Amino acid sequence: MKKNLILIGAVIFLAAACRNQDQNLNADVEIPVSVEEIKLKPIEEFINTTGTAFPKGEIELKSRIPGAYFLEKNPQTGKSWQLGDRVKTGSLIARLEDEEYVNSVKMETNQLNLELMESELRKQESLYEKGGVTLKELKTAGINYENARTTVVTSKLQLEKTRITAPIDGVIVDLPYYTQGTQVETGMTIVKLMDYRTMYMDVQLPEKYISVIRPGQTVKMTNYTIPDDTLTGNVTQLSPAINPDTRTFKGTVSIDNRDLLLRPGMFVKADIITNHKDSAIVIPKNIILSRQKGKTVFVVDRGVAAERIIETGLENITEVEVLRGLAKNERVVTGGFETLGNRSKVKIIK
């Protein structure tokens, strides 16, 4: 009787074990996962930093003489110059009228005197060749001509003070309002221009990167106002000194902003590219598991998940290069891997 009970118990135990095994198998089949086929693609290793963008060229034009203010028109629009208008070098933005000042310059008189002195010099040169005048008389005529020419140049420079012209290509960023004909005094701001087709920004970098970051490295930059555009630039300068308070060193980045997408004063996120490969096995960083045996991921083959130990190379915030452990065209699990075990059966979902 006792032997029969033992036998019956053994049969029940085996049946239960078989049921549990079947249940585990069914459970394995029910595990849904997302996969991604491994393709070779480029990867970049970069150091992230931030900074404020400043224009490469900036100038504030002020009145150099007192006079009646008159704002000129933009030849492109036919309207008076406005904030945001683009100007070219030499564009007349405003003029200052002062009849008394213009008369004091005596431009017409000085120009006429220059013409007379030039005529006299040519005459003296001709006579000197024929022996009609002395060398001293010729040199005196030359000195008189040079003095007259200098006076005309000075007069032109004095008259230029009545014209406010753009010394650089740029954009009007400040244009104080004055009523047409208003008398303005010397030293009043007339216009402020910025050329921000090329910009720069200063960055503070952790000292651990001082041997990694070098001048000439490519920098990719973004701003929240231009989420779909990435600007490029280069590291142009690096300080060799470490700030003892912040444990950082200073760098300067030049930004190619030819389309004027960035505006002066904007906050910029920058990725300094320190290393890159054009073709590598690259996987998402967040699918890698840290095991006692090393870094692992799951791949799917014939409906079964297999755990692979991998060796990694370049990496950035979102991606990692795999040097060993994976091959091209294999399917790596990108979703649902948290509940997987080695040799688990899976169902692929998209």
Side-chain angles (χ1 to χ4, degrees):
M1 183 66 177
K2 186 176 180 180
K3 291 182 179 180
N4 290 338
L5 289 174
I6 293 173
L7 182 59
I8 292 171
V11 171
I12 293 172
F13 175 80
L14 289 174
C18 289
R19 283 198 302 273
N20 288 337
Q21 186 174 12
D22 291 339
Q23 288 174 358
N24 289 337
L25 182 59
N26 291 334
D28 289 342
V29 172
E30 294 301 320
I31 298 178
V33 296
S34 299
V35 299
E36 179 181 303
E37 188 170 314
I38 296 174
K39 301 291 185 183
L40 298 180
K41 63 179 185 177
I43 184 172
E44 295 175 333
E45 200 166 54
F46 55 80
I47 296 168
N48 183 262
T49 187
T50 58
T52 300
F54 296 97
K56 198 72 179 255
E58 179 178 356
I59 190 166
E60 184 176 4
L61 301 178
K62 298 185 177 183
S63 56
R64 293 182 289 171
I65 62 167
Y69 170 88
F70 293 94
L71 182 64
E72 291 294 314
K73 291 184 177 180
N74 180 347
Q76 300 298 321
T77 64
K79 300 178 181 179
S80 297
W81 290 105
Q82 297 180 357
L83 291 172
D85 282 355
R86 298 189 188 187
V87 301
K88 291 187 176 297
T89 302
S91 297
L92 179 62
I93 298 171
R95 55 189 170 83
L96 302 174
E97 292 188 1
D98 187 325
E99 187 175 348
E100 183 178 347
Y101 176 82
V102 173
N103 289 336
S104 69
V105 173
K106 300 178 181 179
M107 185 64 197
E108 293 182 3
T109 301
N110 293 334
Q111 184 65 45
L112 179 59
N113 185 54
L114 175 62
E115 293 173 2
L116 291 174
M117 291 301 100
E118 183 178 12
S119 177
E120 179 64 20
L121 176 61
R122 300 293 174 257
K123 177 182 175 181
Q124 294 296 326
E125 288 174 341
S126 178
L127 289 174
Y128 180 75
E129 290 176 359
K130 298 175 182 179
V133 296
T134 64
L135 179 60
K136 181 179 178 180
E137 291 173 313
L138 176 61
K139 287 186 176 181
T140 300
I143 292 172
N144 290 337
Y145 168 75
E146 288 298 327
N147 288 338
R149 190 172 69 85
T150 300
T151 301
V152 169
V153 171
T154 302
S155 296
K156 288 181 178 179
L157 292 175
Q158 289 176 322
L159 286 179
E160 278 299 311
K161 294 179 181 180
T162 66
R163 295 163 51 86
I164 310 299
T165 57
I168 60 172
D169 290 353
V171 178
I172 296 176
V173 297
D174 190 18
L175 188 66
Y177 176 77
Y178 305 108
T179 302
Q180 296 285 69
T182 296
Q183 185 76 12
V184 297
E185 301 302 321
T186 302
M188 297 183 70
T189 297
I190 303 300
V191 66
K192 187 175 182 180
L193 306 174
M194 286 186 181
D195 177 7
Y196 53 94
R197 292 170 299 180
T198 299
M199 303 185 74
Y200 75 93
M201 73 175 194
D202 293 328
V203 294
Q204 298 297 326
L205 303 162
E207 67 173 314
K208 65 181 179 180
Y209 297 126
I210 197 165
S211 61
V212 177
I213 300 176
R214 299 181 298 276
Q217 288 175 328
T218 299
V219 184
K220 294 184 177 180
M221 284 151 289
T222 58
N223 174 271
Y224 73 94
T225 63
I226 49 173
D228 298 325
D229 292 284
T230 300
L231 303 180
T232 59
N234 297 95
V235 177
T236 56
Q237 299 182 73
L238 291 172
S239 173
I242 302 296
N243 185 319
D245 297 324
T246 62
R247 311 312 308 175
T248 61
F249 63 101
K250 181 180 177 180
T252 301
V253 175
S254 175
I255 308 169
D256 183 357
N257 190 43
R258 66 188 70 183
D259 295 325
L260 305 185
L261 295 175
L262 272 185
R263 305 299 176 86
M266 277 187 170
F267 182 77
V268 179
K269 295 186 294 183
D271 294 330
I272 302 174
I273 310 302
T274 57
N275 208 340
H276 78 280
K277 285 186 179 180
D278 295 328
S279 180
I281 292 176
V282 179
I283 62 173
K285 192 173 185 177
N286 62 358
I287 71 170
I288 298 176
L289 301 172
S290 295
R291 306 290 200 195
Q292 188 173 2
K293 55 188 174 183
K295 298 177 181 178
T296 68
V297 295
F298 284 96
V299 296
V300 173
D301 184 26
R302 298 179 184 178
V304 176
E307 191 171 15
R308 295 276 186 84
I309 298 175
I310 61 172
E311 180 182 339
T312 60
L314 302 185
E315 64 177 87
N316 53 47
I317 297 174
T318 59
E319 296 180 319
V320 176
E321 174 197 13
V322 177
L323 300 175
R324 292 185 180 84
L326 295 177
K328 180 182 175 182
N329 297 328
E330 285 191 306
R331 294 180 298 174
V332 63
V333 179
T334 57
F337 54 85
E338 298 89 350
T339 58
L340 290 181
N342 193 33
R343 307 305 299 170
S344 295
K345 291 189 176 181
V346 297
K347 179 172 67 175
I348 296 174
I349 59 173
K350 297 296 183 183

